Amino acid sequence: MKETAMTRFLDATAVAALVRSIGVQTALRQLAEHVRQDFLRWHRFEKSARLASHSPVGVIELMPVTDGEQYAFKYVNGHPRNAAHAMPTVMAFGALAEVSTGFPLLLADMTLATALRTAATSAVAARAMAPHGTTAMALIGNGAQAEFQVLAFHAMLGVHEIRAYDVDPAATAKLQRNLAGLTDTGELRILPMASIDEALAGAHIVSTVTADKTRATILRDEQIAPGVHINAVGGDCPGKTELDPALLRRARVAVEYEPQSRLEGEIQQMPADFPVIELWRILNGEVPGRTAVEDVTLFDSVGFALEDYSTLRWLHAAACARHAGRYVELVATPDDTRDLYGWLMRQDEAEGAPVTRRAAA
Ligand code: NAD
């Protein structure tokens, strides 16, 4: 009897267990290294802007990418008003397949992994662009992404003072509660702030991680001192921005993949010839991230499929090494590959057939 090909499946609980067993800060560091390595292989990837389906309440997007050996896609939504339905703003899942056969190796929840990869990518960009020795970060928006941003900047840049502001004080209280393990030992300080101006005072890194469907101005040009690095995460689809255009004109702006960022990033507010630098060029040393101490630098993050490929690659390797998740018969692979109907009719006999774990490393 032919063996059944199986796909490794990581549901949300399995991804969470895997990340906890590795440790969040170690996971962020490992993931950041995967992201950095893949950005350094930029020309190996077939890239495209993500395919977005907009509605009055949010967006659903598909994000494909391939390096010719493996193919990945992510499904992700963004619904800023989902909290009213007890649903997260961002939810995601993704798959990794082998290009040689098209067989899906891994199917995984990517809601948690999206927060990890967004924070890891922010930290990779900040390491190349932020002023050296920065220890204080203003964090505007303290929702689902916030802890991951804090931990990535702590683990990778040594940031230990977080000046936290959210229009909803309960969000800041949640951030403090969740990171109490690090604040109690003195590794981190989380200071709740009453306004954005208060949060910005003395912070040389500013992360904006707010959710609003309409054009918002979270930061105005005159609020930002020379030398500051801005990690702008919340503006990530058409019509959704966080920064004053005057601030963009003053900044040295890095983006992930220019064709997508022109549609979705802060730079959607700017003319088509507004100068930006793709992050891979900074990471490979072709262009400096910062040219002078007084530069205002900006990472205009929207989230690019390459980062999700890196994340799936990392998740798959970690799951194989730690035997995490389970195997599912995700796709039908009949004994006689051209007899799908016969396979359908023989399903009773197939019960208990041996399996091939194609997802094994
Ligand atoms: P969330 O809804 O959990 O949290 C957003 C927080 O922003 C809330 O606590 C809200 O009260 C706060 N907020 C809203 N308006 C504000 C304002 N004017 N000033 C201060 N705080 C304000 O959302 P999340 O999952 O944390 O995501 C945050 C944003 O990041 C979303 O816009 C999301 O689409 C975006 N995002 C971007 C990427 C990327 O790769 N760039 C990845 C994931 C999420």
Short mmCIF file of all heavy atoms in Angstrom, two decimals, residues 50 59 63 74 76-83 87-90 114-115 117-119 121-122 139-146 149 165-172 174 196 208-213 216-218 232-237 240 242 256 299-304 307, ligand 1:
data_model
loop_
_atom_site.label_atom_id
_atom_site.label_comp_id
_atom_site.label_asym_id
_atom_site.label_seq_id
_atom_site.Cartn_x
_atom_site.Cartn_y
_atom_site.Cartn_z
N ARG A 50 2.07 42.61 -2.00
CA ARG A 50 1.01 41.68 -1.59
C ARG A 50 -0.32 42.06 -2.25
O ARG A 50 -0.55 43.21 -2.64
CB ARG A 50 0.89 41.62 -0.09
CG ARG A 50 0.57 42.94 0.58
CD ARG A 50 0.65 42.77 2.08
NE ARG A 50 0.90 44.03 2.75
CZ ARG A 50 1.35 44.13 3.99
NH1 ARG A 50 1.62 43.04 4.68
NH2 ARG A 50 1.56 45.30 4.55
N VAL A 59 -8.68 45.02 6.01
CA VAL A 59 -8.02 44.50 4.81
C VAL A 59 -7.65 43.03 5.05
O VAL A 59 -7.37 42.63 6.17
CB VAL A 59 -6.77 45.36 4.48
CG1 VAL A 59 -5.72 45.28 5.59
CG2 VAL A 59 -6.14 44.97 3.16
N MET A 63 0.35 37.06 0.75
CA MET A 63 1.74 37.49 0.58
C MET A 63 2.60 36.31 0.12
O MET A 63 3.06 35.52 0.96
CB MET A 63 2.26 38.04 1.92
CG MET A 63 1.38 39.14 2.47
SD MET A 63 1.81 39.64 4.16
CE MET A 63 3.39 40.43 3.93
N LYS A 74 1.65 33.94 3.08
CA LYS A 74 0.93 34.21 4.33
C LYS A 74 -0.41 34.84 4.01
O LYS A 74 -0.51 35.63 3.06
CB LYS A 74 1.76 35.15 5.23
CG LYS A 74 1.09 35.40 6.58
CD LYS A 74 2.00 36.17 7.53
CE LYS A 74 1.90 37.65 7.34
NZ LYS A 74 2.61 38.40 8.39
N VAL A 76 -3.05 37.27 5.87
CA VAL A 76 -3.10 38.14 7.07
C VAL A 76 -4.19 39.19 6.91
O VAL A 76 -4.45 39.65 5.79
CB VAL A 76 -1.72 38.81 7.33
CG1 VAL A 76 -1.29 39.71 6.18
CG2 VAL A 76 -1.69 39.56 8.65
N ASN A 77 -4.82 39.52 8.02
CA ASN A 77 -5.82 40.59 7.97
C ASN A 77 -5.35 41.77 8.81
O ASN A 77 -4.39 41.67 9.58
CB ASN A 77 -7.17 40.09 8.52
CG ASN A 77 -7.14 40.02 10.04
OD1 ASN A 77 -6.28 39.40 10.60
ND2 ASN A 77 -8.07 40.70 10.67
N GLY A 78 -6.05 42.89 8.68
CA GLY A 78 -5.85 44.05 9.55
C GLY A 78 -7.20 44.72 9.74
O GLY A 78 -7.73 45.32 8.80
N HIS A 79 -7.76 44.56 10.93
CA HIS A 79 -9.10 45.11 11.22
C HIS A 79 -9.03 45.89 12.53
O HIS A 79 -9.22 45.32 13.61
CB HIS A 79 -10.14 43.97 11.32
CG HIS A 79 -10.54 43.40 9.99
ND1 HIS A 79 -9.68 42.68 9.21
CD2 HIS A 79 -11.72 43.47 9.32
CE1 HIS A 79 -10.31 42.33 8.08
NE2 HIS A 79 -11.54 42.80 8.13
N PRO A 80 -8.75 47.22 12.45
CA PRO A 80 -8.52 48.01 13.66
C PRO A 80 -9.69 47.98 14.66
O PRO A 80 -9.49 48.19 15.85
CB PRO A 80 -8.31 49.43 13.13
CG PRO A 80 -7.88 49.25 11.71
CD PRO A 80 -8.56 48.01 11.22
N ARG A 81 -10.91 47.73 14.16
CA ARG A 81 -12.04 47.76 15.11
C ARG A 81 -12.42 46.37 15.61
O ARG A 81 -13.48 46.18 16.20
CB ARG A 81 -13.24 48.44 14.43
CG ARG A 81 -13.10 49.96 14.45
CD ARG A 81 -14.16 50.63 13.62
NE ARG A 81 -13.60 51.18 12.40
CZ ARG A 81 -14.27 51.40 11.28
NH1 ARG A 81 -15.54 51.08 11.19
NH2 ARG A 81 -13.67 51.92 10.24
N ASN A 82 -11.56 45.39 15.38
CA ASN A 82 -11.88 44.02 15.79
C ASN A 82 -12.01 43.84 17.30
O ASN A 82 -12.69 42.92 17.75
CB ASN A 82 -10.81 43.04 15.27
CG ASN A 82 -11.28 42.32 14.03
OD1 ASN A 82 -12.35 42.63 13.51
ND2 ASN A 82 -10.50 41.39 13.55
N ALA A 83 -11.34 44.71 18.07
CA ALA A 83 -11.40 44.56 19.53
C ALA A 83 -12.86 44.58 20.00
O ALA A 83 -13.23 43.88 20.95
CB ALA A 83 -10.60 45.67 20.20
N MET A 87 -11.93 40.16 18.84
CA MET A 87 -11.02 39.52 17.89
C MET A 87 -9.77 40.40 17.76
O MET A 87 -9.87 41.62 17.82
CB MET A 87 -11.65 39.42 16.49
CG MET A 87 -12.94 38.65 16.44
SD MET A 87 -12.62 36.89 16.49
CE MET A 87 -12.32 36.59 14.79
N PRO A 88 -8.58 39.78 17.55
CA PRO A 88 -7.37 40.60 17.36
C PRO A 88 -7.44 41.44 16.08
O PRO A 88 -8.13 41.06 15.12
CB PRO A 88 -6.26 39.57 17.23
CG PRO A 88 -6.82 38.28 17.73
CD PRO A 88 -8.29 38.35 17.50
N THR A 89 -6.70 42.56 16.08
CA THR A 89 -6.61 43.40 14.87
C THR A 89 -5.96 42.61 13.73
O THR A 89 -6.39 42.67 12.59
CB THR A 89 -5.75 44.66 15.18
OG1 THR A 89 -6.40 45.39 16.23
CG2 THR A 89 -5.58 45.55 13.96
N VAL A 90 -4.89 41.88 14.08
CA VAL A 90 -4.11 41.15 13.07
C VAL A 90 -4.16 39.64 13.38
O VAL A 90 -3.91 39.23 14.52
CB VAL A 90 -2.63 41.62 13.10
CG1 VAL A 90 -1.79 40.82 12.11
CG2 VAL A 90 -2.53 43.11 12.80
N THR A 114 3.83 36.68 13.29
CA THR A 114 3.85 37.99 12.63
C THR A 114 4.34 39.06 13.60
O THR A 114 5.14 39.94 13.23
CB THR A 114 2.44 38.34 12.08
OG1 THR A 114 2.14 37.43 11.02
CG2 THR A 114 2.38 39.77 11.55
N ALA A 115 3.87 38.98 14.84
CA ALA A 115 4.34 39.96 15.84
C ALA A 115 5.84 39.80 16.06
O ALA A 115 6.58 40.79 16.14
CB ALA A 115 3.58 39.77 17.15
N ARG A 117 8.11 38.48 13.92
CA ARG A 117 8.92 38.88 12.76
C ARG A 117 8.88 40.39 12.52
O ARG A 117 9.85 40.99 12.06
CB ARG A 117 8.52 38.09 11.52
CG ARG A 117 7.21 38.46 10.82
CD ARG A 117 7.42 39.60 9.82
NE ARG A 117 6.43 39.62 8.78
CZ ARG A 117 5.52 40.60 8.63
NH1 ARG A 117 5.45 41.60 9.49
NH2 ARG A 117 4.70 40.56 7.61
N THR A 118 7.77 41.03 12.87
CA THR A 118 7.70 42.49 12.72
C THR A 118 8.69 43.14 13.68
O THR A 118 9.45 44.04 13.29
CB THR A 118 6.26 42.97 13.01
OG1 THR A 118 5.37 42.30 12.11
CG2 THR A 118 6.12 44.47 12.82
N ALA A 119 8.69 42.65 14.91
CA ALA A 119 9.61 43.21 15.90
C ALA A 119 11.06 42.89 15.54
O ALA A 119 11.94 43.75 15.65
CB ALA A 119 9.27 42.65 17.28
N THR A 121 12.32 42.39 12.57
CA THR A 121 12.72 43.20 11.41
C THR A 121 12.95 44.66 11.84
O THR A 121 13.90 45.31 11.40
CB THR A 121 11.66 43.12 10.29
OG1 THR A 121 11.40 41.75 10.02
CG2 THR A 121 12.12 43.81 9.02
N SER A 122 12.08 45.16 12.72
CA SER A 122 12.27 46.53 13.25
C SER A 122 13.64 46.65 13.91
O SER A 122 14.36 47.64 13.71
CB SER A 122 11.20 46.85 14.32
OG SER A 122 9.96 47.07 13.73
N LEU A 139 7.46 54.35 22.99
CA LEU A 139 6.60 53.34 22.35
C LEU A 139 5.18 53.89 22.32
O LEU A 139 4.51 53.95 23.36
CB LEU A 139 6.67 52.02 23.12
CG LEU A 139 5.87 50.86 22.52
CD1 LEU A 139 6.46 50.43 21.17
CD2 LEU A 139 5.86 49.66 23.48
N ILE A 140 4.76 54.32 21.13
CA ILE A 140 3.43 54.92 20.99
C ILE A 140 2.49 53.85 20.42
O ILE A 140 2.68 53.42 19.26
CB ILE A 140 3.45 56.14 20.02
CG1 ILE A 140 4.69 57.02 20.25
CG2 ILE A 140 2.15 56.93 20.11
CD1 ILE A 140 4.78 57.71 21.55
N GLY A 141 1.53 53.43 21.19
CA GLY A 141 0.67 52.30 20.81
C GLY A 141 1.16 51.08 21.58
O GLY A 141 2.28 50.60 21.35
N ASN A 142 0.38 50.61 22.53
CA ASN A 142 0.83 49.53 23.43
C ASN A 142 -0.08 48.31 23.31
O ASN A 142 -0.37 47.64 24.30
CB ASN A 142 0.86 50.04 24.89
CG ASN A 142 1.74 51.26 25.10
OD1 ASN A 142 1.58 51.98 26.06
ND2 ASN A 142 2.67 51.52 24.19
N GLY A 143 -0.53 48.00 22.09
CA GLY A 143 -1.44 46.88 21.86
C GLY A 143 -0.69 45.56 21.66
O GLY A 143 0.37 45.32 22.26
N ALA A 144 -1.24 44.71 20.79
CA ALA A 144 -0.75 43.34 20.65
C ALA A 144 0.72 43.26 20.24
O ALA A 144 1.44 42.34 20.65
CB ALA A 144 -1.62 42.59 19.64
N GLN A 145 1.20 44.19 19.43
CA GLN A 145 2.59 44.11 18.95
C GLN A 145 3.60 44.59 20.00
O GLN A 145 4.81 44.36 19.85
CB GLN A 145 2.79 44.97 17.68
CG GLN A 145 1.78 44.75 16.56
CD GLN A 145 1.82 43.35 16.00
OE1 GLN A 145 2.89 42.78 15.81
NE2 GLN A 145 0.66 42.76 15.77
N ALA A 146 3.13 45.34 20.98
CA ALA A 146 4.01 46.16 21.82
C ALA A 146 5.09 45.37 22.56
O ALA A 146 6.28 45.73 22.49
CB ALA A 146 3.17 46.96 22.81
N GLN A 149 7.92 44.28 20.32
CA GLN A 149 8.81 45.38 19.95
C GLN A 149 9.77 45.68 21.11
O GLN A 149 10.98 45.82 20.89
CB GLN A 149 7.97 46.64 19.61
CG GLN A 149 7.17 46.52 18.32
CD GLN A 149 8.02 46.67 17.07
OE1 GLN A 149 9.07 47.34 17.08
NE2 GLN A 149 7.60 46.06 15.98
N TYR A 165 3.23 55.14 25.70
CA TYR A 165 2.00 55.94 25.64
C TYR A 165 0.98 55.24 24.76
O TYR A 165 1.30 54.72 23.69
CB TYR A 165 2.28 57.35 25.07
CG TYR A 165 0.98 58.09 24.84
CD1 TYR A 165 0.26 58.62 25.92
CD2 TYR A 165 0.45 58.22 23.56
CE1 TYR A 165 -0.96 59.25 25.72
CE2 TYR A 165 -0.77 58.86 23.35
CZ TYR A 165 -1.47 59.37 24.44
OH TYR A 165 -2.68 59.98 24.23
N ASP A 166 -0.27 55.25 25.22
CA ASP A 166 -1.39 54.74 24.43
C ASP A 166 -2.61 55.58 24.80
O ASP A 166 -2.75 55.98 25.96
CB ASP A 166 -1.65 53.26 24.76
CG ASP A 166 -2.53 52.56 23.72
OD1 ASP A 166 -3.73 52.92 23.60
OD2 ASP A 166 -2.03 51.65 23.04
N VAL A 167 -3.47 55.83 23.82
CA VAL A 167 -4.71 56.57 24.14
C VAL A 167 -5.55 55.78 25.14
O VAL A 167 -6.37 56.36 25.84
CB VAL A 167 -5.56 56.86 22.86
CG1 VAL A 167 -4.98 58.02 22.06
CG2 VAL A 167 -5.74 55.63 22.00
N ASP A 168 -5.32 54.48 25.18
CA ASP A 168 -6.05 53.62 26.12
C ASP A 168 -5.09 53.22 27.25
O ASP A 168 -4.24 52.35 27.07
CB ASP A 168 -6.56 52.38 25.37
CG ASP A 168 -7.26 51.40 26.29
OD1 ASP A 168 -7.45 51.73 27.48
OD2 ASP A 168 -7.62 50.31 25.81
N PRO A 169 -5.22 53.82 28.43
CA PRO A 169 -4.27 53.51 29.52
C PRO A 169 -4.26 52.03 29.89
O PRO A 169 -3.26 51.52 30.39
CB PRO A 169 -4.78 54.36 30.70
CG PRO A 169 -5.70 55.38 30.11
CD PRO A 169 -6.25 54.81 28.84
N ALA A 170 -5.36 51.33 29.62
CA ALA A 170 -5.42 49.89 29.94
C ALA A 170 -4.39 49.13 29.09
O ALA A 170 -3.84 48.11 29.54
CB ALA A 170 -6.82 49.35 29.69
N ALA A 171 -4.10 49.61 27.88
CA ALA A 171 -3.10 48.95 27.03
C ALA A 171 -1.71 49.07 27.66
O ALA A 171 -0.93 48.11 27.68
CB ALA A 171 -3.12 49.55 25.62
N THR A 172 -1.40 50.25 28.18
CA THR A 172 -0.10 50.46 28.83
C THR A 172 0.01 49.63 30.11
O THR A 172 1.06 49.04 30.40
CB THR A 172 0.11 51.97 29.13
OG1 THR A 172 -0.16 52.70 27.91
CG2 THR A 172 1.53 52.27 29.58
N LYS A 174 -1.45 46.81 30.63
CA LYS A 174 -1.24 45.42 30.17
C LYS A 174 0.23 45.19 29.82
O LYS A 174 0.82 44.17 30.17
CB LYS A 174 -2.15 45.18 28.94
CG LYS A 174 -2.07 43.86 28.27
CD LYS A 174 -1.40 43.77 26.90
CE LYS A 174 -1.12 44.96 26.09
NZ LYS A 174 -0.31 44.77 24.91
N ILE A 196 2.15 61.98 24.12
CA ILE A 196 3.22 61.61 23.17
C ILE A 196 4.46 62.46 23.45
O ILE A 196 5.58 61.94 23.50
CB ILE A 196 2.72 61.76 21.72
CG1 ILE A 196 1.67 60.68 21.43
CG2 ILE A 196 3.88 61.68 20.73
CD1 ILE A 196 1.04 60.74 20.07
N THR A 208 6.26 53.75 16.55
CA THR A 208 4.82 54.04 16.48
C THR A 208 4.14 52.74 16.05
O THR A 208 4.43 52.19 14.98
CB THR A 208 4.52 55.18 15.50
OG1 THR A 208 5.09 54.89 14.22
CG2 THR A 208 5.08 56.50 16.01
N VAL A 209 3.23 52.25 16.87
CA VAL A 209 2.61 50.94 16.64
C VAL A 209 1.11 51.07 16.94
O VAL A 209 0.54 50.29 17.69
CB VAL A 209 3.25 49.85 17.54
CG1 VAL A 209 3.01 48.47 16.94
CG2 VAL A 209 4.74 50.06 17.72
N THR A 210 0.50 52.08 16.33
CA THR A 210 -0.92 52.33 16.60
C THR A 210 -1.78 51.70 15.49
O THR A 210 -1.27 51.36 14.41
CB THR A 210 -1.22 53.84 16.67
OG1 THR A 210 -1.03 54.41 15.37
CG2 THR A 210 -0.31 54.53 17.67
N ALA A 211 -3.06 51.54 15.78
CA ALA A 211 -3.98 50.98 14.77
C ALA A 211 -5.12 51.96 14.55
O ALA A 211 -5.87 52.27 15.47
CB ALA A 211 -4.51 49.64 15.25
N ASP A 212 -5.22 52.48 13.36
CA ASP A 212 -6.34 53.36 12.99
C ASP A 212 -6.48 53.26 11.48
O ASP A 212 -5.50 53.34 10.77
CB ASP A 212 -6.02 54.80 13.41
CG ASP A 212 -7.29 55.63 13.52
OD1 ASP A 212 -8.23 55.33 12.76
OD2 ASP A 212 -7.33 56.56 14.34
N LYS A 213 -7.69 53.06 10.98
CA LYS A 213 -7.87 52.85 9.53
C LYS A 213 -7.61 54.14 8.75
O LYS A 213 -7.16 54.13 7.63
CB LYS A 213 -9.28 52.32 9.28
CG LYS A 213 -9.58 51.96 7.83
CD LYS A 213 -8.97 50.61 7.44
CE LYS A 213 -9.37 50.18 6.04
NZ LYS A 213 -8.45 50.64 5.00
N ALA A 216 -3.73 59.11 10.27
CA ALA A 216 -3.53 59.69 11.60
C ALA A 216 -2.20 60.45 11.58
O ALA A 216 -1.35 60.20 10.73
CB ALA A 216 -3.47 58.58 12.64
N THR A 217 -2.05 61.43 12.47
CA THR A 217 -0.74 62.06 12.62
C THR A 217 -0.32 61.84 14.06
O THR A 217 -0.63 62.62 14.95
CB THR A 217 -0.79 63.57 12.27
OG1 THR A 217 -1.35 63.71 10.96
CG2 THR A 217 0.60 64.19 12.27
N ILE A 218 0.37 60.73 14.26
CA ILE A 218 0.82 60.38 15.60
C ILE A 218 2.04 61.25 15.95
O ILE A 218 2.16 61.72 17.07
CB ILE A 218 1.19 58.87 15.66
CG1 ILE A 218 0.01 58.00 15.22
CG2 ILE A 218 1.69 58.48 17.05
CD1 ILE A 218 -1.21 58.07 16.08
N ALA A 232 8.47 53.11 12.32
CA ALA A 232 7.03 53.36 12.07
C ALA A 232 6.37 52.07 11.60
O ALA A 232 6.56 51.65 10.46
CB ALA A 232 6.88 54.46 11.04
N VAL A 233 5.61 51.44 12.48
CA VAL A 233 5.06 50.11 12.23
C VAL A 233 3.58 50.14 11.88
O VAL A 233 3.09 49.33 11.09
CB VAL A 233 5.29 49.22 13.48
CG1 VAL A 233 4.65 47.85 13.34
CG2 VAL A 233 6.78 49.06 13.77
N GLY A 234 2.85 51.10 12.45
CA GLY A 234 1.38 51.06 12.35
C GLY A 234 0.81 51.44 10.99
O GLY A 234 -0.26 50.96 10.62
N GLY A 235 1.50 52.28 10.22
CA GLY A 235 0.99 52.66 8.89
C GLY A 235 1.38 51.57 7.90
O GLY A 235 2.53 51.49 7.49
N ASP A 236 0.44 50.70 7.56
CA ASP A 236 0.83 49.54 6.75
C ASP A 236 -0.19 49.15 5.70
O ASP A 236 -0.16 48.03 5.19
CB ASP A 236 1.15 48.34 7.67
CG ASP A 236 -0.06 47.89 8.49
OD1 ASP A 236 -1.07 48.62 8.50
OD2 ASP A 236 0.01 46.83 9.12
N CYS A 237 -1.08 50.06 5.36
CA CYS A 237 -1.94 49.79 4.20
C CYS A 237 -2.47 51.13 3.65
O CYS A 237 -2.39 52.16 4.33
CB CYS A 237 -3.04 48.79 4.53
SG CYS A 237 -4.33 49.42 5.57
N LYS A 240 -3.77 54.37 5.62
CA LYS A 240 -3.44 54.21 7.05
C LYS A 240 -2.00 54.64 7.27
O LYS A 240 -1.07 53.93 6.92
CB LYS A 240 -3.65 52.75 7.42
CG LYS A 240 -3.45 52.38 8.87
CD LYS A 240 -4.28 51.14 9.18
CE LYS A 240 -3.76 50.34 10.33
NZ LYS A 240 -2.73 49.36 9.94
N GLU A 242 0.81 57.20 9.95
CA GLU A 242 1.01 57.70 11.33
C GLU A 242 1.84 58.98 11.38
O GLU A 242 1.90 59.61 12.43
CB GLU A 242 1.74 56.64 12.16
CG GLU A 242 0.99 55.36 12.39
CD GLU A 242 1.79 54.37 13.25
OE1 GLU A 242 2.93 54.07 12.88
OE2 GLU A 242 1.28 53.93 14.29
N GLU A 256 11.05 48.30 3.05
CA GLU A 256 11.37 46.90 2.79
C GLU A 256 11.43 46.66 1.27
O GLU A 256 12.48 46.41 0.71
CB GLU A 256 10.32 46.00 3.46
CG GLU A 256 10.45 46.02 4.98
CD GLU A 256 9.11 46.07 5.69
OE1 GLU A 256 8.27 46.93 5.35
OE2 GLU A 256 8.89 45.23 6.60
N PHE A 299 12.54 53.92 9.61
CA PHE A 299 12.21 52.63 9.00
C PHE A 299 10.69 52.61 8.83
O PHE A 299 9.95 52.54 9.81
CB PHE A 299 12.70 51.47 9.86
CG PHE A 299 12.30 50.12 9.30
CD1 PHE A 299 12.50 49.81 7.96
CD2 PHE A 299 11.72 49.16 10.12
CE1 PHE A 299 12.12 48.57 7.44
CE2 PHE A 299 11.34 47.91 9.61
CZ PHE A 299 11.54 47.63 8.27
N ASP A 300 10.26 52.71 7.56
CA ASP A 300 8.84 52.77 7.23
C ASP A 300 8.36 51.34 6.99
O ASP A 300 8.28 50.86 5.86
CB ASP A 300 8.68 53.65 5.97
CG ASP A 300 7.25 53.81 5.53
OD1 ASP A 300 6.35 53.33 6.25
OD2 ASP A 300 7.03 54.42 4.46
N SER A 301 8.07 50.64 8.09
CA SER A 301 7.75 49.20 8.02
C SER A 301 6.30 48.97 7.58
O SER A 301 5.38 49.64 8.07
CB SER A 301 7.96 48.61 9.42
OG SER A 301 7.30 47.38 9.56
N VAL A 302 6.14 48.04 6.65
CA VAL A 302 4.76 47.62 6.30
C VAL A 302 4.60 46.10 6.46
O VAL A 302 3.50 45.59 6.55
CB VAL A 302 4.36 48.02 4.85
CG1 VAL A 302 4.26 49.53 4.71
CG2 VAL A 302 5.29 47.43 3.81
N GLY A 303 5.74 45.38 6.47
CA GLY A 303 5.70 43.91 6.52
C GLY A 303 5.75 43.35 5.12
O GLY A 303 4.85 43.59 4.31
N PHE A 304 6.83 42.61 4.82
CA PHE A 304 7.03 42.11 3.46
C PHE A 304 7.11 40.58 3.49
O PHE A 304 7.61 39.97 4.45
CB PHE A 304 8.32 42.73 2.88
CG PHE A 304 8.62 42.30 1.50
CD1 PHE A 304 7.63 42.24 0.53
CD2 PHE A 304 9.91 41.91 1.14
CE1 PHE A 304 7.90 41.81 -0.76
CE2 PHE A 304 10.20 41.49 -0.14
CZ PHE A 304 9.19 41.44 -1.09
N GLU A 307 9.98 38.47 4.87
CA GLU A 307 10.11 38.28 6.33
C GLU A 307 9.26 37.09 6.79
O GLU A 307 9.62 36.39 7.74
CB GLU A 307 9.65 39.54 7.06
CG GLU A 307 10.53 40.75 6.77
CD GLU A 307 9.76 42.06 6.75
OE1 GLU A 307 8.77 42.21 7.49
OE2 GLU A 307 10.14 42.94 5.96
P1 NAD B 1 -3.79 46.66 18.45
O1 NAD B 1 -5.15 47.06 18.00
O2 NAD B 1 -3.65 45.47 19.34
O3 NAD B 1 -3.09 47.88 19.21
C1 NAD B 1 -3.09 49.20 18.72
C2 NAD B 1 -2.95 50.15 19.90
O4 NAD B 1 -2.82 51.48 19.38
C3 NAD B 1 -4.17 50.14 20.83
O5 NAD B 1 -3.78 49.88 22.15
C4 NAD B 1 -4.75 51.54 20.65
O6 NAD B 1 -5.38 52.04 21.83
C5 NAD B 1 -3.52 52.35 20.27
N1 NAD B 1 -3.78 53.61 19.61
C6 NAD B 1 -4.68 53.88 18.61
N2 NAD B 1 -4.60 55.17 18.26
C7 NAD B 1 -3.62 55.73 19.03
C8 NAD B 1 -3.08 57.04 19.13
N3 NAD B 1 -3.54 58.04 18.37
N4 NAD B 1 -2.07 57.26 20.02
C9 NAD B 1 -1.62 56.25 20.82
N5 NAD B 1 -2.12 55.00 20.78
C10 NAD B 1 -3.10 54.73 19.89
O7 NAD B 1 -2.94 46.49 17.13
P2 NAD B 1 -1.52 45.75 16.96
O8 NAD B 1 -1.71 44.33 16.59
O9 NAD B 1 -0.64 46.09 18.11
O10 NAD B 1 -1.00 46.48 15.65
C11 NAD B 1 -0.63 47.84 15.71
C12 NAD B 1 -0.48 48.37 14.31
O11 NAD B 1 0.65 47.75 13.70
C13 NAD B 1 -1.67 48.08 13.41
O12 NAD B 1 -1.92 49.23 12.64
C14 NAD B 1 -1.20 46.94 12.53
O13 NAD B 1 -1.85 46.92 11.29
C15 NAD B 1 0.27 47.28 12.40
N6 NAD B 1 1.13 46.16 12.07
C16 NAD B 1 2.14 46.39 11.21
C17 NAD B 1 3.01 45.38 10.90
C18 NAD B 1 4.17 45.64 9.98
O14 NAD B 1 4.83 44.72 9.54
N7 NAD B 1 4.49 46.88 9.72
C19 NAD B 1 2.83 44.09 11.43
C20 NAD B 1 1.80 43.89 12.35
C21 NAD B 1 0.95 44.95 12.68
#
